[in-house]
Amino acid sequence: MKSLRHEKIKSIIENSIIETQEELAEALRNHHIDVTQATVSRDIKEMMLIKIPTDDGRYRYACPSDKKFFFSKNRMERIFHDSVINIDCSENIIVVKTLPGAANAVASTLDYAKWPEIIGTVAGDDNILVIIKPLSAVEKVMKKLEKFIS
């Protein structure tokens, strides 16, 4: 079912402007594929979908044409500079606040950067929880992230 759903997602975003996870979930339901927002969020992450600008200044989901581009430090700097509003922490959790709709893309760049101190991320619409291990690494990760937005 997952591979069928991924193929349908690819077809949908290639043929329609899909700006949000909710729009993508609705488009899948219109194709008789029943999904939750959580499933769509996981699919976006697994498929490494990115958001690209449209002609009218909005953003839409797209498949990355070059996987190396997805993992580049330059892309990470650009997406952080363009999308991240604030970074704060408490204990071993860093909270990254983004523009609405940008959290998934930012979280994906963190996940695929494969920093050993980050054991996982959870993205909402405009917030990301970044789980750090060990606790002593939080300050180091905060400094690395802050460099991307300054």
Side-chain angles (χ1 to χ4, degrees):
M1 184 66 175
K2 182 193 286 190
S3 60
L4 171 69
R5 191 172 62 245
H6 283 195
E7 284 301 315
K8 186 54 73 176
I9 289 170
K10 186 176 178 188
S11 173
I12 289 168
I13 65 172
E14 286 174 352
N15 296 301
S16 304
I17 294 177
I18 301 292
E19 295 182 76
T20 66
Q21 292 179 13
E22 292 79 14
E23 287 178 11
L24 183 54
E26 185 63 31
L28 287 166
R29 286 186 207 105
N30 290 340
H31 285 91
H32 309 292
I33 299 174
D34 190 33
V35 292
T36 64
Q37 187 274 330
T39 299
V40 169
S41 179
R42 278 191 301 274
D43 289 340
I44 288 168
K45 194 175 254 187
E46 288 173 14
M47 294 175 69
M48 294 186 272
L49 299 183
I50 60 175
K51 284 204 170 179
I52 60 171
T54 62
D55 292 336
D56 60 0
R58 299 179 310 171
Y59 286 85
R60 65 177 286 184
Y61 282 109
C63 292
S65 57
D66 182 356
K67 299 290 185 192
K68 289 180 185 174
F69 171 76
F70 189 79
F71 301 108
S72 76
K73 182 179 177 188
N74 288 339
R75 180 174 189 274
M76 184 177 237
E77 288 173 350
R78 190 169 46 254
I79 198 163
F80 265 72
H81 185 267
D82 292 346
S83 304
V84 175
I85 298 168
N86 188 39
I87 302 171
D88 202 353
C89 67
S90 177
E91 297 293 328
N92 71 319
I93 297 173
I94 295 175
V95 177
V96 179
K97 296 201 178 276
T98 70
L99 295 173
N104 201 315
V106 173
S108 291
T109 62
L110 287 170
D111 290 338
Y112 292 103
K114 300 199 185 304
W115 293 354
E117 307 88 357
I118 296 177
I119 59 174
T121 62
V122 179
D125 183 58
D126 59 0
N127 281 286
I128 305 160
L129 298 179
V130 183
I131 314 303
I132 307 297
K133 186 177 178 180
L135 181 61
S136 60
V138 171
E139 186 177 337
K140 175 184 172 185
V141 174
M142 284 287 292
K143 286 180 182 176
K144 285 169 75 171
L145 294 174
E146 287 169 347
K147 284 182 184 178
F148 287 126
I149 63 171
S150 57

